[in-house]
């Protein structure tokens, strides 16, 4: 079964600092998705990474994918309080794009 | 695009009772998914519909669980004889095509007393 691991699980960082969240997965996939979830809210799609070497950026967040290493990173630049949330990566099932396997999430708290 | 809506938002019930949740996907999306999320975990896939056909089911979906999407629009998820371990957030998502990002509803939080 496909396993998706994220680290760290919890991240507390000061405003203005940079940090990276890592997502490792256990089987071959050339796609990966990042989601954000605020407490009590639904998951919001952030990035879709569709191939090896893909890089996407939105504001202070940048995501990349290395399919050979089975690794994706979510880099946070100059964090602000509004980025406080839980971030999930998800990998689709190898044979079907319908089952997404989610990591355990990284709970990010940005401290003023 | 009104997004994916789920009803109810919260459900509290006694162990052994049956519960039913409803999901209305984004109108043009023919693919609908159910996930379960427990505290501190990521969502876990339960089942998937393409139009009215239920095409994939997780082994997490015991025989106490049944899902339907009778006309290829809204879907229901029923849990019979609820158990403590069923307490979770039940999330519905929809998409237009496979491999596209799935759009999630706000979920139904089930609490078993």
């Amino acid at each position: 079964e496909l396993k998706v691991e994220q680290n760290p699980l919890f991240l507390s960082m000061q405003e203005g600092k940079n940090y990276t969240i890592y997502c490792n997965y256990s089987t071959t996939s050339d796609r990966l998705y990042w989601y954000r979830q605020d407490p009590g809210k639904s998951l919001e799609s952030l990035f879709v990474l569709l191939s090896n070497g893909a890089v996407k950026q939105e504001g202070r967040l940048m995501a990349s994918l290395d399919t050979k290493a089975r690794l994706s990173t979510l880099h946070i630049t100059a964090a602000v309080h509004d980025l406080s949330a839980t971030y999930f990566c998800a990998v689709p099932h190898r044979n079907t794009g319908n089952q997404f396997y989610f990591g355990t999430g990284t709970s990010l708290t940005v401290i003023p | 695009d009104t997004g994916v809506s789920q009803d109810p938002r919260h459900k509290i019930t006694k162990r052994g009772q049956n519960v039913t949740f409803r999901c209305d996907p984004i109108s043009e999306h023919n693919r609908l998914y159910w996930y379960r999320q427990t505290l501190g975990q990521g969502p876990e896939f339960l089942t998937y519909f393409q139009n009215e056909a239920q095409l994939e089911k997780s082994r997490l979906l015991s025989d106490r669980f049944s899902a339907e999407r009778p006309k290829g629009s809204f879907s229901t998820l029923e849990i019979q004889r609820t158990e403590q371990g069923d307490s979770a957030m039940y999330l519905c998502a929809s998409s237009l095509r496979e491999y596209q990002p799935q759009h999630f509803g706000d979920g139904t939080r089930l609490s078993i007393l």
Side-chain angles (χ1 to χ4, degrees), chain A residues 10-85:
Chain A
F10 298 94
L11 176 57
S12 180
M13 56 190 298
Q14 286 187 314
E15 278 191 334
K17 298 293 187 183
N18 304 334
Y19 209 84
T20 300
I21 298 170
Y22 297 88
C23 172
N24 291 89
Y25 53 97
S26 61
T27 64
T28 303
S29 178
D30 60 358
R31 300 164 188 260
L32 189 135
Y33 306 78
W34 282 98
Y35 286 85
R36 167 183 172 143
Q37 186 176 37
D38 291 294
K41 299 289 188 180
S42 181
L43 284 85
E44 173 192 355
S45 177
L46 292 176
F47 298 110
V48 182
L49 302 169
L50 295 176
S51 61
N52 186 41
V55 177
K56 293 279 185 74
Q57 183 164 2
E58 179 75 31
R60 300 172 188 276
L61 299 178
M62 183 173 70
S64 66
L65 178 62
D66 181 344
T67 59
K68 294 179 181 177
R70 299 177 187 170
L71 170 69
S72 179
T73 60
L74 181 65
H75 187 72
I76 303 154
T77 302
V80 293
H81 181 67
D82 286 352
L83 291 179
S84 296

Side-chain angles (χ1 to χ4, degrees), chain A residues 6 33-35 37 86-89 102-105, chain B residues 37 41-42:
Chain A
Q6 289 181 235
Y33 306 78
W34 282 98
Y35 286 85
Q37 186 176 37
T86 299
Y87 293 86
F88 292 96
C89 59
F102 284 81
T104 49
Chain B
Q37 185 178 24
Q41 300 295 319

Side-chain angles (χ1 to χ4, degrees), chain A residues 1 31 33 35 37 40-43 45 48 50 88 92-100 102-105, chain B residues 9 31 33 35 37 40-45 48 56-57 59 91 98-106:
Chain A
E1 181 180 295
R31 300 164 188 260
Y33 306 78
Y35 286 85
Q37 186 176 37
K41 299 289 188 180
S42 181
L43 284 85
S45 177
V48 182
L50 295 176
F88 292 96
H93 187 281
R94 180 176 189 169
N95 297 324
T96 165
N98 302 307
Q99 287 191 40
F100 279 19
F102 284 81
T104 49
Chain B
R9 291 295 310 279
R31 295 165 188 263
Y33 315 85
Y35 288 83
Q37 185 178 24
Q41 300 295 319
E44 295 174 293
F45 173 83
Y48 152 67
E56 295 175 28
K57 291 169 64 173
R59 53 186 168 80
L91 296 168
E98 68 177 3
Y99 293 113
Q100 282 196 335
Q102 297 176 7
H103 297 264
F104 284 80
D106 286 341

Side-chain angles (χ1 to χ4, degrees), chain B residues 26-88:
Chain B
I26 293 171
S27 58
E28 63 267 28
H29 287 182
N30 60 356
R31 295 165 188 263
L32 185 145
Y33 315 85
W34 285 99
Y35 288 83
R36 181 174 70 187
Q37 185 178 24
T38 53
L39 197 62
Q41 300 295 319
E44 295 174 293
F45 173 83
L46 292 178
T47 191
Y48 152 67
F49 288 85
Q50 183 170 336
N51 299 312
E52 66 275 11
Q54 187 175 19
L55 298 182
E56 295 175 28
K57 291 169 64 173
S58 163
R59 53 186 168 80
L60 291 176
L61 210 68
S62 77
D63 56 5
R64 296 186 298 106
F65 287 68
S66 62
E68 294 183 340
R69 194 181 183 197
K71 296 182 180 178
S73 57
F74 72 93
S75 175
T76 58
L77 178 66
E78 181 183 17
I79 309 174
Q80 296 183 328
R81 305 181 302 281
T82 53
E83 301 174 355
Q84 289 285 350
D86 297 332
S87 294

